[in-house]
Amino acid sequence: MLNPMQKDALTEIINVYIGKAASMLSEMVNQRVILSVPEVELIAFTQDGQPSKQLPPIFSSGHIISSSIRFGQTLKGKAFLIFPADQAKLLVNVCLGEEPVIQESEELVAFIDTDFDVLKEISNVILNAIIGELSNFMDTRVHYSLPDIELIYVSESEGTILLKENTYLLLLHTTFLLSETPVNGFILIALSMNSVSWLLEKIDALLEA
Amino acid sequence: MKILVVDDSLFSQKMLIRLFNQYLPESEVIVASQALEAFELYKKEQPAFVITDLLMPEVSGQELIRLIMDYDSHANIIVISADIQKSTRAEVMASGALAFLNKPLTDEVTGELLTLIKETPHA
């Protein structure tokens, strides 16, 4: 378990990194990005692979765009940038300097290759900013996979579908909102057990110094 | 002056092409989405500058730098990557790159890139 001091230190560190990532996104879309305070949770898994506590709900049910990057070496895990599908399309429009068209109907918006390409590049920048800073903090080097992008339907009961790999234990998540366009995103970072131990050792050393 | 842009993201390619067309209208921009394709283009076109990403499918930008520097030790290679790790920057600079800039392509980054291209002597 995380003690209150570890949790506070970790939240603060991640807050700074997410702040940098938000600043990058802000420059890409030319709008202010409003962040929520990041949540840090340590989640234990039972032997049958079930989480010991409720994982954070990602969004209400519907189609989402999930863009993720795996990272490895000594610091190992997976980072996700997630948007509701209709809002992902708005984000692409804003990035390309096009007028965002807000869809009224419930129908799934159509995505073309360029949309996925832009979303991949956004997640590449945002997630690298966070993981790269974490890697610098840990004084190590991570290797990244290519960004992976998926259009997924998530039902209320399947809100945890993205976290089915039970090696990941420490969840750092936050939401953000663009100031002028209704785009609400979710950043989630999952670290492996060994990475968590190592990170906590580093934080403890900092706290004791 | 030829500039070879190497990035698997069409979005990033487009941004750089737009930048060079606007601020370096005399330049001829060549693009590649993969490192090996870029290396072949480098040998054929002998560009004055190579602007490359690092994280690309199949062959990485680091490997492309190695290939080009082995072929032409005077190559002017500028990396533009989302990777903000100090160790990556150190590795890239040690391999002979001219500069390492971070995405996204903000006004500050594009300004630095254009200054580098304008001020670096090239054949």
Side-chain angles (χ1 to χ4, degrees):
Chain A
M1 289 294 291
L2 289 174
N3 68 40
M5 195 56 106
Q6 287 172 327
K7 188 165 182 171
D8 180 77
L10 200 48
T11 306
E12 189 53 27
I13 289 167
I14 294 301
N15 201 14
V16 171
Y17 301 162
I18 288 180
K20 286 190 181 180
S23 153
M24 290 178 171
L25 178 64
S26 169
E27 295 199 47
M28 290 172 96
V29 296
N30 255 330
Q31 291 185 33
R32 201 157 73 85
V33 174
I34 301 146
L35 286 170
S36 70
V37 177
E39 292 282 331
V40 176
E41 291 178 74
L42 194 58
I43 305 219
F45 283 82
T46 58
Q47 282 189 335
D48 59 357
Q50 293 303 307
S52 60
K53 61 194 274 195
Q54 189 63 40
L55 295 175
I58 292 182
F59 286 107
S60 55
S61 65
H63 281 94
I64 58 166
I65 294 277
S66 163
S67 186
S68 59
I69 294 184
R70 277 177 195 282
F71 50 94
Q73 294 284 83
T74 38
L75 187 67
K76 192 174 173 189
K78 195 170 180 181
F80 299 86
L81 183 62
I82 300 166
F83 301 98
D86 55 338
Q87 296 180 21
K89 184 78 175 178
L90 286 179
L91 183 64
V92 170
N93 291 344
V94 173
C95 275
L96 293 174
E98 295 165 0
E99 195 61 37
V101 180
I102 298 170
Q103 183 158 321
E104 301 289 340
S105 76
E106 301 264 313
E107 274 179 39
L108 178 62
V109 289
F111 284 88
I112 56 173
D113 285 351
T114 314
D115 298 330
F116 286 122
D117 185 72
V118 172
L119 289 167
K120 260 191 202 176
E121 197 56 11
I122 292 169
S123 73
N124 189 27
V125 170
I126 302 294
L127 299 178
N128 262 271
I130 301 167
I131 303 305
E133 287 288 0
L134 196 57
S135 154
N136 286 340
F137 171 70
M138 299 296 290
D139 211 11
T140 186
R141 169 105 186 253
V142 297
H143 288 283
Y144 299 103
S145 69
L146 289 167
D148 192 19
I149 195 154
E150 291 176 289
L151 175 64
I152 312 170
Y153 182 80
V154 184
S155 71
E156 302 258 1
S157 61
E158 287 177 324
T160 61
I161 193 168
L162 301 168
L163 302 168
K164 55 195 170 192
E165 292 169 70
N166 61 9
T167 50
Y168 301 134
L169 290 175
L170 185 72
L171 300 180
L172 317 161
H173 59 100
T174 191
T175 55
F176 60 86
L177 185 68
L178 299 190
S179 61
E180 293 162 32
T181 314
V183 174
N184 189 13
F186 188 91
I187 294 169
L188 188 147
I189 296 159
L191 294 175
S192 70
M193 185 167 5
N194 286 343
S195 302
V196 172
S197 307
W198 190 38
L199 182 58
L200 292 181
E201 274 172 31
K202 179 91 178 179
I203 284 171
D204 286 344
L206 267 183
L207 292 171
E208 282 163 17
Chain B
M1 174 178 63
K2 290 180 182 174
I3 300 175
L4 173 58
V5 170
V6 193
D7 200 311
D8 59 318
S9 163
L10 298 178
F11 173 62
S12 292
Q13 285 182 11
K14 203 168 148 183
M15 294 291 120
L16 285 168
I17 291 168
R18 191 188 294 169
L19 177 78
F20 294 139
N21 285 344
Q22 189 172 354
Y23 294 101
L24 296 171
E26 73 285 6
S27 64
E28 180 188 342
V29 184
I30 312 156
V31 292
S33 300
Q34 294 198 7
L36 291 181
E37 176 197 0
F39 184 48
E40 291 308 314
L41 277 172
Y42 185 87
K43 289 188 285 187
K44 186 176 162 206
E45 303 284 348
Q46 303 284 317
F49 292 92
V50 178
I51 317 294
T52 184
D53 189 14
L54 293 180
L55 186 62
M56 292 185 287
E58 294 174 28
V59 176
S60 68
Q62 286 96 328
E63 183 62 15
L64 173 65
I65 297 171
R66 195 187 62 74
L67 286 169
I68 293 178
M69 294 307 288
D70 281 351
Y71 174 78
D72 173 9
S73 60
H74 299 293
N76 291 317
I77 305 175
I78 299 170
V79 169
I80 302 186
S81 167
D83 193 334
I84 59 167
Q85 298 180 84
K86 291 174 191 163
S87 53
T88 306
R89 176 184 293 268
E91 180 197 58
V92 162
M93 295 309 290
S95 66
L98 184 63
F100 185 108
L101 305 175
N102 276 127
K103 290 180 180 178
L105 290 170
T106 59
D107 291 348
E108 193 184 339
V109 172
T110 54
E112 209 175 326
L113 175 63
L114 291 170
T115 305
L116 259 170
I117 291 177
K118 285 175 184 167
E119 293 183 353
T120 303
H122 56 271

